[in-house]
Amino acid sequence: MQTLSKSEQRERRHNRVRAKVSGSAERPRLSIFKSNTRVVAQIIDDERGITLAAVSSSDVKSGTPREKAEKAAETLAKSASEKGVKKVVFDRGGFQYQGTIKAFAEAARKAGLDF
């Protein structure tokens, strides 16, 4: 039996999550991806197949990765509220709910997104 790499393991976890989580017009999906250098998040309506809002923490110039993620979450929540999106479904992308992912989610909740 062959061992899977970390990225393959994350991809399998993400597929399990995506089998249960889907975005709609009423509750679009907040999808998040984390790399070593940045966090990228999108609010997606899966029924129509469009991205309503997107943000990357690479747009924020200074701070720790966690602070950058929090600022990016605030920006995403602001642009989502301008488009009339208040409730979303959180898709953690196969990542553990800790550290930067948790900081992003809590900052998005604090900024007005409901999930």
Side-chain angles (χ1 to χ4, degrees):
M1 188 165 150
Q2 185 179 11
T3 0
L4 299 175
S5 69
K6 281 186 177 184
S7 61
E8 290 171 331
Q9 290 173 353
R10 185 196 71 80
E11 193 172 323
R12 281 190 174 189
R13 285 191 304 270
H14 191 201
N15 288 337
R16 280 198 305 268
V17 170
R18 285 289 290 124
K20 300 170 189 165
V21 174
S22 180
S24 64
E26 299 81 36
R27 288 187 63 151
R29 178 171 53 100
L30 171 56
S31 176
I32 192 163
F33 173 77
K34 178 180 71 97
S35 72
N36 288 338
T37 57
R38 65 183 55 109
V39 172
V40 180
Q42 303 176 47
I43 296 180
I44 305 166
D45 180 358
D46 289 319
E47 291 176 347
R48 293 188 292 167
I50 60 169
T51 299
L52 304 173
V55 70
S56 173
S57 67
S58 63
D59 300 337
V60 181
K61 297 299 178 199
S62 64
T64 64
R66 185 177 295 215
E67 291 169 350
K68 288 181 179 182
E70 290 170 349
K71 290 177 185 173
E74 292 168 5
T75 305
L76 182 68
K78 183 180 176 185
S79 68
S81 66
E82 289 172 357
K83 297 191 177 167
V85 176
K86 296 285 183 200
K87 292 186 175 190
V88 295
V89 178
F90 189 64
D91 174 10
R92 61 187 172 87
F95 298 102
Q96 291 184 351
Y97 187 79
Q98 66 181 19
T100 308
I101 302 293
K102 185 176 179 180
F104 183 93
E106 290 175 352
R109 282 189 189 108
K110 190 175 180 181
L113 286 179
D114 183 27
F115 59 93

